[in-house]
Amino acid sequence: MSLTMQEEYLNPGHVGCPGCGATVAMKLALRALGEKTMVVIPASCWAIIASNYPQSALKVPVLNTAFATTGATCSGLRAALDLRGDHETTILGWAGDGGTFDIGFQALSAAAERGEDFIYVCYDNEAYMNTGVQRSSSTPWGASTMTTPGKEWKRTPKKNIVEIMAAHRIPYAATASIAWPEDLARKLQKARSIRSGLRFIHLFSSCPTGWGHAPADTIKVARMAVRSRAFPLYEVEEGMRWTINSEDGHLPVREYLRMQGRFRQLGEEDIAYIQDFVDREWERLRRRAE
């Protein structure tokens, strides 16, 4: 069934920013997974977007947890449901890049090593957006944030979280984008069908507030990230089988960068450096897929 025909599990009245890519991400994810889903959310934008107990913007059960504990909380919740004989409900860990790449990585890595049965989605807006746009290890080289301002932009590359998770030999890891909803739905449903260990989705979620683009351009920016190959779509099975899911055009990375205020301080040499990095990473991915 098309995603446009699926029931909505996100109520009106959430408190996401105008054009929030993370809100679009949750809307699409719950359409794909359906009502038999329990969502674990650590400290993040989504801990605010969903609203405060006893109110919730979501029509499925939500458990808020500490910043560092998404992986552990999902593990415990899965064990509790299994003891009750509920093997149908999907446990969905839903954390930002700060709670995945950085603060929550220890619990995520441990859950992956134990082979826990849940889906973990990192909705990636490439900084600690909820606390004022501070850099994370997901922030790309060249981006300006409150802790890497202006010409003091971030000088280290973004951590490759999918490679790290694939190195755990988990059964399934994939990238996805809010601009490719059918691809996202397929990957989530594939992840749900696998019950032999942790499944990981790295979901690109553009952020007009932190990135400095118009709210109306959220999906366009996400689409350009894929088409410029700054964020390629691919999946990894059992840590070994790599498949590229989209080779949809090849825009110069400049067009993607120039849409965002966080890159306005970059000169031509800086943009050329990023283009070279993107090209080299794409070729490395192609070799793995071959």
Side-chain angles (χ1 to χ4, degrees), residues 152-234:
E152 302 301 318
W153 71 76
K154 186 168 180 276
R155 305 283 177 162
T156 53
K158 176 172 181 163
K159 186 187 289 185
N160 193 319
I161 194 67
V162 173
E163 286 192 4
I164 293 168
M165 295 310 298
H168 288 71
R169 295 296 191 266
I170 59 175
Y172 188 70
T175 64
S177 170
I178 58 173
W180 267 261
E182 300 294 343
D183 177 73
L184 169 60
R186 180 186 66 81
K187 287 172 176 174
L188 283 168
Q189 289 164 0
K190 182 174 182 176
R192 182 177 58 187
S193 72
I194 300 167
R195 302 299 299 269
S196 57
L198 187 147
R199 292 80 75 196
F200 182 84
I201 307 288
H202 181 199
L203 178 51
F204 189 88
S205 305
S206 30
C207 174
T209 303
W211 296 8
H213 65 75
D217 288 336
T218 294
I219 300 302
K220 183 177 181 180
V221 168
R223 186 177 298 117
M224 292 179 76
V226 174
R227 289 183 171 165
S228 67
R229 297 174 179 167
F231 189 87
L233 298 180
Y234 62 96

Side-chain angles (χ1 to χ4, degrees), residues 34-86:
E35 65 179 344
K36 284 190 174 295
T37 305
M38 299 182 73
V39 186
V40 175
I41 302 176
S44 60
C45 289
W46 251 103
I48 306 303
I49 294 169
S51 192
N52 296 323
Y53 180 84
Q55 298 174 319
S56 177
L58 301 180
K59 298 179 185 178
V60 297
V62 177
L63 178 59
N64 289 106
T65 190
F67 219 153
T69 62
T70 308
T73 304
C74 289
S75 301
L77 190 55
R78 177 75 271 159
L81 290 181
D82 287 347
L83 282 172
R84 294 180 59 182
D86 181 354

